[in-house]
Amino acid sequence: MAWLVVSVSLVVIWVASLCKVFFGATSSSRATILDDGKTPQKKNVMFIIAHPDDESMFFSPTINYLTSNVDNLHILCLSTGNADGMGNTRKDELHQACAVLKVPLQQLKVLDHPNLQDGFGQVWNHDLLTEIIEEEVTKHDIHTIITFDNYGVSGHCNHRDVHRGVLTFLQTNSGRHIKAWELVSLNIFRKYCGPVDIWLSILSARKHPSNVIIINEQPWKSFKAMAQHLSQWVWFRKLFVSFSSYTYTNTLNRIIP
């Protein structure tokens, strides 16, 4: 009997969490992320990621939220994800995913630098990353950067190097007053509790009021975007997208260099 009560309770919590998805994030979240004391008609926001599919697996709640608010989004992908020799295929898949996420293709840049290749054990030079980031930020007049935190969600060394590259850029360009936010890495329980993490994120934000919680109002779009990465759309990634809290919510923390 006890197991039945537990099962019903879990189902109720799961359904309630899915219902919460449709309430969306608050307008104050957008103001917190984008406000820099200036009032241009459009804010230029750049997501800096390591591999094709990072945008769909991890950042889609924030991307969906900002594109729905008509902000000018750019994505800088620092590699083609060529660890298995499928870099060109994965680059094409990223273009298709961005079309689903409504990120203009002319605002997507995918690098294939010989010193920034995908793979565990591939160390990315932070000064090189800083140079590339500075060039793209200047070219597109970027106001806000969104990227990985120091752990990089999965602990992948390329994700962590991207964070350090952004941090070095901010430290060497402090006079430009560019805001940067990092996607908070979660513990193993929260990472795989799906939409239930919405409630945990809200509770956590009470302890960390500087964090911003973005709820994905369109999780089906995240599934569709990830499905464009056909070379990566194997069974365990389908499970990941279904049960990962990153499909349903993002917690962002301001990077203070």
Side-chain angles (χ1 to χ4, degrees):
M1 189 64 179
W3 66 268
L4 181 59
V5 173
V6 171
S7 299
V8 170
S9 299
L10 290 174
V11 169
V12 169
I13 293 171
W14 190 274
V15 171
S17 301
L18 286 175
C19 290
K20 176 64 176 174
V21 165
F22 297 100
F23 284 90
T26 63
S27 59
S28 62
S29 296
R30 179 177 179 270
T32 302
I33 295 173
L34 297 176
D35 180 32
D36 61 357
K38 303 176 184 178
T39 56
Q41 289 186 340
K42 277 191 175 182
K43 294 285 188 176
N44 298 322
V45 181
M46 177 173 283
F47 287 80
I48 303 179
I49 61 176
H51 317 109
D53 77 17
D54 288 346
E55 82 298 331
S56 299
M57 290 183 71
F58 308 122
F59 293 95
S60 62
T62 306
I63 293 174
N64 285 340
Y65 182 54
L66 293 180
T67 54
S68 68
N69 283 280
V70 202
D71 288 295
N72 204 18
L73 257 62
H74 296 256
I75 293 180
L76 173 61
C77 184
L78 292 164
S79 81
T80 61
N82 196 41
D84 297 320
M86 301 182 68
N88 290 333
T89 297
R90 296 193 66 186
K91 182 177 178 180
D92 290 341
E93 291 169 349
L94 177 54
H95 280 82
Q96 296 172 44
C98 283
V100 171
L101 294 169
K102 299 189 182 305
V103 177
L105 297 186
Q106 68 270 22
Q107 290 169 203
L108 165 66
K109 183 164 186 177
V110 185
L111 300 184
D112 189 14
H113 194 285
N115 295 327
L116 298 175
Q117 292 298 304
D118 174 23
F120 289 98
Q122 294 284 343
V123 178
W124 290 3
N125 183 279
H126 302 162
D127 291 333
L128 172 60
L129 291 171
T130 298
E131 181 181 325
I132 292 168
I133 293 166
E134 182 172 5
E135 180 180 344
E136 293 301 309
V137 165
T138 301
K139 180 179 178 181
H140 300 293
D141 189 25
I142 299 300
H143 306 102
T144 303
I145 292 172
I146 300 174
T147 191
F148 292 104
D149 68 2
N150 187 51
Y151 184 70
V153 179
S154 64
H156 196 297
C157 56
N158 298 160
H159 297 180
R160 302 181 76 167
D161 282 336
V162 170
H163 170 83
R164 290 166 187 149
V166 170
L167 187 60
T168 303
F169 163 76
L170 294 172
Q171 291 168 341
T172 56
N173 290 269
S174 57
R176 299 176 68 168
H177 304 295
I178 295 168
K179 291 181 72 174
W181 296 83
E182 59 187 11
L183 179 63
V184 174
S185 297
L186 304 174
N187 62 47
I188 194 72
F189 170 75
R190 288 188 58 188
K191 186 176 180 179
Y192 292 110
C193 66
V196 176
D197 190 64
I198 292 170
W199 309 104
L200 300 176
S201 295
I202 292 171
L203 289 172
S204 177
R206 293 180 180 177
K207 297 181 180 179
H208 306 282
S210 61
N211 285 356
V212 172
I213 309 301
I214 303 292
I215 297 173
N216 193 357
E217 296 177 304
Q218 301 173 303
W220 57 87
K221 187 188 287 188
S222 302
F223 279 83
K224 185 176 179 182
M226 187 59 201
Q228 306 308 306
H229 296 278
L230 283 174
S231 66
Q232 308 301 303
W233 198 227
V234 293
W235 67 270
F236 56 86
R237 286 198 178 89
K238 292 177 182 178
L239 287 176
F240 179 89
V241 175
S242 298
F243 290 96
S244 168
S245 61
Y246 293 99
T247 298
Y248 304 97
T249 184
N250 282 165
T251 298
L252 302 178
N253 180 51
R254 178 79 183 274
I255 300 176
I256 306 297

